[in-house]
Amino acid sequence: MREIFMNYASTSPVTSPAVVAAITSYLRSDHRSPGRNFEGLEDSAIALDARLALGELLGVRKPNRIIFTSGVTASLNMLINGVVRPGDHVVTTSVEHNAVARPLALLAKNGIIEVTWMRCEPDGSLDPGQVRESLRPNSRLLVMTHASNVLGTILPYRECFAEAKRRGLFTILDAAQTAGCIDVRIGEETDVIAFAGHKGLGGLAGIGGFALGDGAAEKIRPWLVGGTGSASHLLD
């Protein structure tokens, strides 16, 4: 009898041959310093190609609006902590991944924000009308998953975000489970889409990021700073 192994730790079971070839070639090349050639392309050009491809996939016109991080958990922590202010109210759902649920719970525990958890049905479905019922005068952010990593239910984020936008909220979509598998794009109702590299995008663990919509960057305070040696004479 053929055995089928399904415990992939939420990671794509098949690594793209193109990814394997690119990583192998990179590791064999002289990449000891940023800017050195890698098969005729500088490292920055490789990153730009990746940004352009993701931008096309996620509906982002400018490549500098694709931000790479160490994973979707880092992305969501950066985004949530960069958007909320003391005294804010945040709306989310009861089926969120820990990458959303735990940052919000910690902020609430420390008395920085209030959180409303919109209740999903046993099958994971969500009535978008709950957004209107959950909003308060101090509501700043609606952050929610596109699909539950446990139930697989696709949530109606566009309808939820549209209602939130009518009240001036910032909107963040956790597309870790769906980017690369289900069409998801930045639109008028969506400020940011966070993505993982090791799931539907067919990449490696340890990389992720987020896509910024028009005007979104100006509403996010820097939460993690540092970076490479470019313009090192400047402190911001």
Side-chain angles (χ1 to χ4, degrees):
M1 179 181 294
R2 181 187 177 193
E3 293 183 356
I4 300 176
F5 184 69
M6 299 185 67
N7 182 13
Y8 294 110
S10 300
T11 296
S12 174
V14 179
T15 301
S16 165
V19 173
V20 174
I23 293 296
T24 301
S25 180
Y26 180 79
L27 292 175
R28 289 173 174 170
S29 70
D30 183 6
H31 61 278
R32 290 171 293 179
S33 176
R36 290 183 182 272
N37 283 343
F38 164 47
E39 291 191 349
L41 290 175
E42 291 187 346
D43 295 356
S44 57
I46 299 169
L48 176 59
D49 286 345
R51 287 187 168 92
L52 290 169
L54 282 164
E56 183 176 358
L57 180 72
L58 299 174
V60 176
R61 295 186 301 276
K62 298 181 179 180
N64 64 349
R65 291 183 181 171
I66 299 292
I67 311 300
F68 291 128
T69 69
S70 60
V72 72
T73 296
S75 298
L76 290 164
N77 272 269
M78 290 172 65
L79 292 166
I80 291 169
N81 284 279
V83 170
V84 299
R85 311 287 191 272
D88 281 348
H89 172 244
V90 177
V91 180
T92 189
T93 80
S94 62
V95 297
E96 294 304 308
H97 189 277
N98 288 334
V100 169
R102 286 178 174 167
L104 292 179
L106 181 61
L107 288 166
K109 179 181 178 181
N110 291 336
I112 298 173
I113 64 170
E114 300 173 306
V115 182
T116 294
W117 307 83
M118 295 186 293
R119 182 178 178 82
C120 293
E121 297 300 321
D123 63 356
S125 60
L126 175 70
D127 176 8
Q130 287 196 61
V131 175
R132 188 182 308 107
E133 300 168 1
S134 301
L135 296 180
R136 304 176 186 175
N138 62 330
S139 297
R140 181 181 295 273
L141 170 66
L142 171 56
V143 53
M144 61 184 289
T145 187
H146 189 196
S148 165
N149 67 311
V150 176
L151 301 170
T153 309
I154 308 300
L155 298 188
Y157 78 92
R158 288 190 177 89
E159 294 87 340
C160 293
F161 282 0
E163 181 61 35
K165 277 298 176 186
R166 282 192 279 271
R167 294 282 294 273
L169 273 68
F170 195 87
T171 56
I172 300 172
L173 182 68
D174 174 9
Q177 317 301 329
T178 55
C181 297
I182 300 173
D183 183 49
V184 54
R185 299 174 67 82
I186 289 284
E188 293 182 359
E189 75 286 342
T190 307
D191 287 309
V192 183
I193 296 174
F195 56 86
H198 64 106
K199 299 176 186 285
L201 293 175
L204 303 176
I207 189 169
F210 51 91
L212 296 164
D214 294 343
E218 290 75 15
K219 299 176 183 178
I220 305 171
R221 295 177 301 174
W223 184 73
L224 180 66
V225 296
T228 60
S230 58
S232 291
H233 61 292
L234 302 175
L235 290 179
D236 66 1

